[in-house]
Amino acid sequence: MTQTVKRGESLGAQVARVLRQRIVRGELSPGERITEEALAEEFSVSRGPIRDALTQLSFEKLVEVQRPRGVYIVGLTQDDVDQLYSLRGALEQLALSRAMRVDDPSRWTAMAAAVGRMGTAADAGDHAAFVAADLEFHSQIYALADHPRLAGAWSQYLPTFAALLEVTINHDEDLHESSGDHVRLMDVMRSGTPEKAADVLAAHLDGARGRMLSELAQRRS
């Protein structure tokens, strides 16, 4: 079936997003071979955007490019998940420690708005809207940190974590608990100690890691 892409966003980024989702969901299996030709035909684009997408996915260690043989799906292992979340934990703990220095209430409004959207999405059972608000919440931690290089590192891996979240969020039929977790994290960032905030963030990310590992275990069983 032909997969359509939209004009505006980079075609390569759109192709990468679709393939990334398929890999993280397990729809493309480790060791499976894909080709530029087949992808170009499926997405109705030239090979340029396909190569851009595969280059990005290769950087994310989700595919291995073996020219001229083709491209092979690497997928996600338990070790990959551990690496990704340990990296995110290191990045986000640094961002959080810097963000907590911000006293200007106006700079926290975007994060508060994201928390509000998560609550609304939880009430509606809207997983897609919840994912968008969740990612915005965490992106705001980096924005508050006032550390462009740190924010850049987050941006590089944000597409991967977006795909992971789209999978793990489906483990939660009721989204209110996750929404409450973000309320607590914001509150402790605003009025708690750095040590308490670090503990709350670590528990939050460890829960996400555990859900992804559970997903992988279910696929193997």
Side-chain angles (χ1 to χ4, degrees):
M1 185 174 84
T2 300
Q3 179 77 43
T4 59
V5 291
K6 300 176 182 178
R7 305 294 158 175
E9 183 186 5
S10 154
L11 295 179
Q14 293 181 64
V15 173
R17 183 175 65 250
V18 173
L19 293 177
R20 184 185 299 109
Q21 289 170 338
R22 292 176 183 174
I23 294 169
V24 172
R25 290 172 184 163
E27 295 169 8
L28 291 172
S29 303
E32 187 172 340
R33 181 175 180 268
I34 55 178
T35 66
E36 292 180 4
E37 296 90 340
L39 292 172
E41 181 177 352
E42 177 186 358
F43 287 91
S44 298
V45 297
S46 68
R47 290 199 191 181
I50 299 300
R51 292 193 182 107
D52 290 343
L54 295 176
T55 296
Q56 177 60 30
L57 295 176
S58 178
F59 166 78
E60 296 173 27
K61 309 301 182 186
L62 294 175
V63 304
E64 182 179 357
V65 180
Q66 297 182 7
R67 292 192 173 92
R69 295 176 58 201
V71 180
Y72 293 84
I73 303 301
V74 174
L76 288 174
T77 64
Q78 177 177 330
D79 187 53
D80 292 323
V81 172
D82 286 338
Q83 287 187 33
L84 283 165
Y85 279 100
S86 64
L87 173 62
R88 180 174 174 183
L91 294 174
E92 208 147 310
Q93 289 287 2
L94 174 57
L96 178 142
S97 68
R98 292 176 60 93
M100 289 181 71
R101 304 174 189 174
V102 176
D103 293 325
D104 181 357
S106 68
R107 294 198 58 199
W108 292 87
T109 56
M111 179 180 285
V115 166
R117 290 196 297 276
M118 273 188 275
T120 300
D123 290 341
D126 188 338
H127 284 67
F130 193 94
V131 166
D134 188 323
L135 294 171
E136 175 61 20
F137 174 95
H138 288 278
S139 293
Q140 284 302 315
I141 298 177
Y142 293 88
L144 287 163
D146 293 325
H147 191 317
R149 290 177 176 83
L150 182 60
W154 165 244
S155 294
Q156 281 188 306
Y157 283 93
L158 179 56
T160 305
F161 283 109
L164 292 171
L165 181 58
E166 287 168 358
V167 170
T168 60
I169 200 67
N170 290 319
H171 285 236
D172 300 328
E173 184 174 341
D174 186 346
L175 297 169
H176 288 94
E177 182 177 353
S178 183
S179 176
D181 286 345
H182 289 84
V183 172
R184 284 189 291 276
L185 181 54
M186 183 177 68
D187 287 347
V188 76
M189 287 179 68
R190 295 298 309 276
S191 59
T193 65
E195 293 78 14
K196 179 61 176 176
D199 287 345
V200 172
L201 176 62
H204 177 67
L205 294 181
D206 194 53
R209 170 184 164 277
R211 287 191 292 275
M212 191 64 217
L213 290 176
S214 176
E215 174 73 21
L216 293 181
Q218 289 177 17
R219 294 176 191 174
R220 291 194 297 267
S221 62

